[in-house]
Amino acid sequence: MESNGARTKSPERLVFFSDAVVAIALTLLVLPLTDLVPELAAEHKDAVDAVLEHWNQIFSFVLSFVVIARMWWGHHRIFEEVRAYSGALALTNFCWLFTIAVLPFPTELTGQYGTDRFTTLFYIGTILVSSACQMLLVLIVRRDPNVAIRETSVSDRWLANNVLSVVALAIAFVVGAIRPALGYYALLLLAIPPIIARRFSGRDDD
Protein backbone atom coordinates (compact mmCIF):
# COMPACT_ATOMS: atom_id res chain seq x y z
CA MET A 1 0.00 0.00 0.00
CA GLU A 2 1.06 3.55 -0.66
CA SER A 3 0.57 4.54 2.97
CA ASN A 4 2.87 1.75 4.13
CA GLY A 5 5.46 2.78 1.54
CA ALA A 6 5.31 6.37 2.71
CA ARG A 7 6.23 5.26 6.23
CA THR A 8 9.50 3.78 4.97
CA LYS A 9 10.61 7.06 3.37
CA SER A 10 12.82 8.50 6.07
CA PRO A 11 13.16 12.31 5.85
CA GLU A 12 16.79 12.26 6.98
CA ARG A 13 18.37 12.42 3.52
CA LEU A 14 15.97 15.18 2.52
CA VAL A 15 16.91 17.16 5.61
CA PHE A 16 20.67 16.66 5.11
CA PHE A 17 20.40 17.73 1.48
CA SER A 18 18.34 20.78 2.42
CA ASP A 19 20.83 21.80 5.10
CA ALA A 20 23.66 21.55 2.56
CA VAL A 21 21.84 23.81 0.08
CA VAL A 22 21.16 26.37 2.81
CA ALA A 23 24.80 26.32 3.90
CA ILE A 24 25.97 26.90 0.32
CA ALA A 25 23.50 29.76 -0.13
CA LEU A 26 24.76 31.44 3.04
CA THR A 27 28.34 31.09 1.81
CA LEU A 28 27.49 32.57 -1.58
CA LEU A 29 26.03 35.65 0.12
CA VAL A 30 29.43 36.77 1.41
CA LEU A 31 31.46 36.14 -1.77
CA PRO A 32 30.69 39.54 -3.36
CA LEU A 33 32.04 41.21 -0.22
CA THR A 34 35.26 39.20 -0.28
CA ASP A 35 35.71 40.10 -3.96
CA LEU A 36 35.87 43.77 -2.93
CA VAL A 37 39.15 43.32 -1.08
CA PRO A 38 41.50 42.82 -4.07
CA GLU A 39 39.69 45.64 -5.92
CA LEU A 40 40.28 48.05 -3.03
CA ALA A 41 43.89 46.94 -2.71
CA ALA A 42 44.47 47.51 -6.43
CA GLU A 43 43.06 51.03 -6.09
CA HIS A 44 45.27 51.67 -3.02
CA LYS A 45 42.29 52.44 -0.79
CA ASP A 46 42.09 52.03 2.95
CA ALA A 47 40.53 48.91 4.42
CA VAL A 48 37.82 50.99 6.09
CA ASP A 49 36.57 51.96 2.62
CA ALA A 50 35.32 48.39 2.24
CA VAL A 51 32.66 49.32 4.79
CA LEU A 52 32.15 53.04 4.19
CA GLU A 53 31.74 52.77 0.42
CA HIS A 54 29.82 49.51 0.27
CA TRP A 55 27.26 49.71 3.03
CA ASN A 56 24.46 48.80 0.60
CA GLN A 57 26.10 45.45 -0.12
CA ILE A 58 26.79 44.85 3.56
CA PHE A 59 23.17 45.65 4.42
CA SER A 60 21.84 43.29 1.76
CA PHE A 61 24.20 40.54 2.99
CA VAL A 62 23.08 40.90 6.61
CA LEU A 63 19.41 41.10 5.64
CA SER A 64 19.58 37.99 3.46
CA PHE A 65 21.58 36.09 6.07
CA VAL A 66 18.87 36.81 8.64
CA VAL A 67 16.12 35.89 6.17
CA ILE A 68 17.71 32.55 5.24
CA ALA A 69 18.48 31.78 8.89
CA ARG A 70 14.83 32.45 9.77
CA MET A 71 13.65 30.26 6.89
CA TRP A 72 16.03 27.46 7.87
CA TRP A 73 14.81 27.55 11.46
CA GLY A 74 11.21 27.24 10.28
CA HIS A 75 12.19 24.41 7.95
CA HIS A 76 14.04 22.66 10.77
CA ARG A 77 10.97 22.84 13.01
CA ILE A 78 8.73 21.47 10.27
CA PHE A 79 10.88 18.40 9.67
CA GLU A 80 11.09 17.69 13.38
CA GLU A 81 7.43 16.75 12.99
CA VAL A 82 7.94 14.58 9.88
CA ARG A 83 8.25 10.81 10.20
CA ALA A 84 8.13 10.00 6.45
CA TYR A 85 8.11 12.21 3.38
CA SER A 86 5.51 12.05 0.62
CA GLY A 87 5.84 13.04 -3.02
CA ALA A 88 4.04 16.32 -2.32
CA LEU A 89 6.32 17.11 0.61
CA ALA A 90 9.49 16.36 -1.38
CA LEU A 91 8.35 18.43 -4.37
CA THR A 92 7.38 21.39 -2.20
CA ASN A 93 10.68 21.12 -0.35
CA PHE A 94 12.62 21.30 -3.64
CA CYS A 95 10.61 24.39 -4.61
CA TRP A 96 11.59 25.92 -1.26
CA LEU A 97 15.23 25.01 -1.86
CA PHE A 98 15.04 26.67 -5.28
CA THR A 99 14.10 29.98 -3.67
CA ILE A 100 16.93 29.66 -1.13
CA ALA A 101 19.45 28.87 -3.88
CA VAL A 102 18.23 31.85 -5.94
CA LEU A 103 18.28 34.40 -3.10
CA PRO A 104 22.02 35.27 -3.36
CA PHE A 105 21.31 36.64 -6.88
CA PRO A 106 18.69 39.27 -5.90
CA THR A 107 20.82 39.96 -2.82
CA GLU A 108 23.72 40.97 -5.07
CA LEU A 109 21.36 43.06 -7.21
CA THR A 110 20.14 44.78 -4.05
CA GLY A 111 23.71 45.65 -3.09
CA GLN A 112 24.40 47.14 -6.51
CA TYR A 113 21.07 48.73 -7.48
CA GLY A 114 19.55 49.51 -4.09
CA THR A 115 15.96 50.72 -4.35
CA ASP A 116 15.51 50.06 -8.06
CA ARG A 117 11.88 48.87 -8.46
CA PHE A 118 12.69 45.63 -10.29
CA THR A 119 15.42 44.77 -7.79
CA THR A 120 13.15 45.43 -4.83
CA LEU A 121 10.34 43.32 -6.25
CA PHE A 122 12.70 40.52 -7.28
CA TYR A 123 14.16 40.39 -3.79
CA ILE A 124 10.90 40.56 -1.84
CA GLY A 125 9.18 38.30 -4.37
CA THR A 126 11.80 35.59 -3.86
CA ILE A 127 11.28 35.71 -0.09
CA LEU A 128 7.51 35.71 -0.61
CA VAL A 129 7.62 32.54 -2.74
CA SER A 130 9.98 30.91 -0.22
CA SER A 131 7.60 31.72 2.62
CA ALA A 132 4.65 30.39 0.60
CA CYS A 133 6.52 27.11 0.02
CA GLN A 134 7.19 26.85 3.73
CA MET A 135 3.51 27.44 4.44
CA LEU A 136 2.65 24.58 2.05
CA LEU A 137 5.10 22.32 3.89
CA VAL A 138 3.29 23.10 7.13
CA LEU A 139 -0.09 22.38 5.52
CA ILE A 140 1.11 19.04 4.14
CA VAL A 141 2.41 17.96 7.54
CA ARG A 142 -0.84 19.09 9.16
CA ARG A 143 -3.12 17.27 6.71
CA ASP A 144 -1.26 14.08 5.79
CA PRO A 145 -1.33 11.48 8.59
CA ASN A 146 1.27 9.41 6.72
CA VAL A 147 3.75 12.30 6.99
CA ALA A 148 3.27 13.73 10.47
CA ILE A 149 4.57 12.09 13.62
CA ARG A 150 1.24 12.75 15.33
CA GLU A 151 -2.12 14.34 14.54
CA THR A 152 -1.32 17.42 16.60
CA SER A 153 2.09 18.05 15.02
CA VAL A 154 1.02 21.42 13.59
CA SER A 155 -0.98 23.65 15.93
CA ASP A 156 -3.40 26.38 14.86
CA ARG A 157 -0.92 28.93 16.15
CA TRP A 158 1.90 27.54 14.03
CA LEU A 159 -0.24 27.46 10.90
CA ALA A 160 -1.55 30.98 11.53
CA ASN A 161 1.98 32.29 11.94
CA ASN A 162 2.97 30.87 8.53
CA VAL A 163 -0.15 32.12 6.75
CA LEU A 164 0.19 35.60 8.24
CA SER A 165 3.88 35.71 7.29
CA VAL A 166 2.91 35.15 3.66
CA VAL A 167 0.30 37.90 3.96
CA ALA A 168 2.89 40.26 5.50
CA LEU A 169 5.31 39.58 2.65
CA ALA A 170 2.56 40.11 0.07
CA ILE A 171 1.91 43.53 1.65
CA ALA A 172 5.66 44.27 1.57
CA PHE A 173 5.68 43.31 -2.13
CA VAL A 174 2.84 45.77 -2.86
CA VAL A 175 4.60 48.49 -0.88
CA GLY A 176 7.78 47.82 -2.85
CA ALA A 177 5.87 48.12 -6.12
CA ILE A 178 4.43 51.50 -5.09
CA ARG A 179 7.39 52.90 -3.15
CA PRO A 180 10.56 50.86 -3.80
CA ALA A 181 12.50 52.84 -1.19
CA LEU A 182 10.12 51.56 1.51
CA GLY A 183 9.99 47.97 0.29
CA TYR A 184 12.87 46.65 2.38
CA TYR A 185 11.59 48.39 5.51
CA ALA A 186 8.21 46.78 4.91
CA LEU A 187 9.88 43.44 5.64
CA LEU A 188 9.70 44.48 9.28
CA LEU A 189 6.04 43.48 9.03
CA LEU A 190 7.31 39.93 9.57
CA ALA A 191 7.56 40.79 13.26
CA ILE A 192 3.75 41.07 13.48
CA PRO A 193 2.50 37.52 12.57
CA PRO A 194 3.93 35.81 15.69
CA ILE A 195 2.16 38.38 17.87
CA ILE A 196 -1.19 37.86 16.16
CA ALA A 197 -0.74 34.08 16.05
CA ARG A 198 -0.51 33.96 19.85
CA ARG A 199 -4.26 34.57 19.90
CA PHE A 200 -4.75 31.12 18.42
CA SER A 201 -3.08 29.29 21.28
CA GLY A 202 -1.83 29.86 24.78
CA ARG A 203 1.05 27.43 24.28
CA ASP A 204 4.60 28.58 23.64
CA ASP A 205 5.04 26.52 20.44
CA ASP A 206 6.56 29.13 18.11
Side-chain angles (χ1 to χ4, degrees):
M1 295 292 291
E2 182 178 349
S3 59
N4 291 332
R7 294 191 183 97
T8 66
K9 297 178 180 178
S10 171
E12 287 188 4
R13 292 187 64 186
L14 201 59
V15 171
F16 292 154
F17 180 76
S18 299
D19 287 348
V21 172
V22 171
I24 292 171
L26 289 173
T27 302
L28 291 176
L29 288 176
V30 77
L31 292 183
L33 294 177
T34 59
D35 289 340
L36 293 174
V37 177
E39 294 178 9
L40 292 171
E43 296 173 5
H44 303 289
K45 290 187 176 182
D46 294 331
V48 71
D49 290 332
V51 176
L52 298 179
E53 296 182 3
H54 300 279
W55 67 270
N56 274 343
Q57 290 164 283
I58 295 174
F59 170 77
S60 62
F61 161 71
V62 173
L63 179 61
S64 292
F65 189 97
V66 172
V67 167
I68 293 179
R70 180 180 183 274
M71 289 293 182
W72 175 84
W73 178 247
H75 183 273
H76 171 70
R77 289 194 59 238
I78 292 169
F79 275 85
E80 281 186 330
E81 302 299 330
V82 173
R83 61 168 173 167
Y85 69 87
S86 64
L89 186 76
L91 178 60
T92 304
N93 188 69
F94 274 102
C95 290
W96 179 78
L97 288 176
F98 177 79
T99 64
I100 297 300
V102 166
L103 192 57
F105 179 39
T107 298
E108 176 64 4
L109 289 177
T110 298
Q112 296 294 334
Y113 295 97
T115 56
D116 170 74
R117 178 173 276 102
F118 172 79
T119 300
T120 302
L121 295 181
F122 187 16
Y123 185 82
I124 298 177
T126 301
I127 300 174
L128 172 58
V129 175
S130 185
S131 184
C133 289
Q134 201 160 76
M135 180 189 70
L136 288 176
L137 288 173
V138 170
L139 283 171
I140 292 170
V141 175
R142 181 183 173 95
R143 293 188 172 187
D144 192 342
N146 292 321
V147 169
I149 293 176
R150 53 187 178 274
E151 292 183 1
T152 58
S153 286
V154 176
S155 65
D156 291 341
R157 178 178 176 179
W158 190 355
L159 177 61
N161 188 23
N162 277 267
V163 172
L164 292 172
S165 292
V166 173
V167 173
L169 285 166
I171 294 173
F173 186 85
V174 173
V175 171
I178 299 172
R179 294 289 298 274
L182 298 178
Y184 301 115
Y185 295 103
L187 292 174
L188 293 173
L189 291 170
L190 287 172
I192 298 177
I195 298 174
I196 299 177
R198 289 193 185 99
R199 295 180 180 272
F200 288 84
S201 172
R203 293 175 299 162
D204 187 16
D205 58 359
D206 263 355

